[in-house]
Amino acid sequence: MTLNYQDNNKAQFIINGWTSKLLKEEEKDTLPDGSVIFSETTAQRTIRIDKDDRVSTFLENTNGSNGMFFDREGRLIVTQVPFGTGGIAIIYPEAAKKSLVSRYNGEPFGRANDLTVDRKGGVYFTDSANAAPMPPAGVPLPPALYYLPSGAAAPIQLLTGIPFPNGLVLTGDEKILYLNNTNGEYLLA
């Protein structure tokens, strides 16, 4: 893997010939020092790559963390994928660690996948409902997009009928939420 820097405030990484988008320091998966972090879901850790290309473990025992976002308070909010114990949690800093939500209407998420956080601290997140391993009876909830308002104990189900809701991002002015349907050919807005 190679990290390329431009103008000391943008980075892009290259892994096995694949090149990322340019990342700005203010990207939501970067640390204040410009290091980039990545989730290793099955290894249950978060990896850090610093500006000198040094790779280290940033966090361990992350309960299958996947989608990640630093909120305005510097807390790392993540999706956690294991069926039955997954959901949305804060995993950094240590003093702020807690589960935010793990169920909808009493039922566990199939596989919380990705998230983004708005300026008010609300969390939009996807549940792709593709638990691995899949429970014998299947997952109780359909694939869906949810919103957890800041300070709320329960999420709001915003949208179902998407075969595989995955990545999502808010525009800078927060007027449009883009949602990727991995099994479809269109990006939803």
Side-chain angles (χ1 to χ4, degrees), residues 2-182:
T2 304
L3 274 172
N4 295 331
Y5 291 91
Q6 299 179 1
D7 303 326
N8 290 330
N9 68 349
K10 293 184 180 179
Q12 106 185 132
F13 55 95
I14 301 169
I15 303 173
N16 296 331
W18 177 81
T19 304
S20 77
K21 67 174 185 166
L22 285 176
L23 300 172
K24 300 175 189 168
E25 282 187 34
E26 64 270 12
E27 292 278 345
K28 301 305 180 191
D29 51 1
T30 60
L31 297 168
D33 67 359
S35 298
V36 180
I37 60 171
F38 301 89
S39 59
E40 277 194 284
T41 303
T42 56
Q44 304 222 21
R45 65 181 168 216
T46 301
I47 299 300
R48 174 182 179 250
I49 303 172
D50 70 17
K51 287 186 177 187
D52 296 319
D53 292 342
R54 288 186 299 254
V55 178
S56 61
T57 299
F58 179 65
L59 296 169
E60 293 184 296
N61 303 315
T62 61
N63 191 30
S65 293
N66 192 20
M68 303 182 294
F69 196 102
F70 280 104
D71 71 3
R72 297 179 121 197
E73 297 176 40
R75 301 174 306 174
L76 184 57
I77 301 174
V78 300
T79 58
Q80 295 180 317
V81 301
F83 178 72
T85 64
I88 307 303
I90 298 169
I91 63 169
Y92 177 87
E94 183 69 30
K97 285 176 87 170
K98 67 179 180 176
S99 173
L100 296 176
V101 66
S102 62
R103 297 179 173 275
Y104 175 71
N105 286 343
E107 299 290 350
F109 297 111
R111 183 182 174 110
N113 189 302
D114 203 2
L115 59 77
T116 191
V117 180
D118 65 24
R119 287 186 202 110
K120 295 177 184 174
V123 181
Y124 290 91
F125 66 97
T126 57
D127 177 6
S128 56
N130 64 332
M134 182 64 74
V139 294
L141 296 170
L145 170 66
Y146 295 89
Y147 180 68
L148 180 65
S150 179
I156 301 163
Q157 190 179 69
L158 299 176
L159 187 63
T160 60
I162 312 154
F164 198 120
N166 193 346
L168 67 164
V169 66
L170 280 167
T171 57
D173 62 8
E174 297 191 352
K175 290 182 179 179
I176 300 172
L177 175 71
Y178 290 100
L179 171 64
N180 178 45
N181 173 18
T182 297

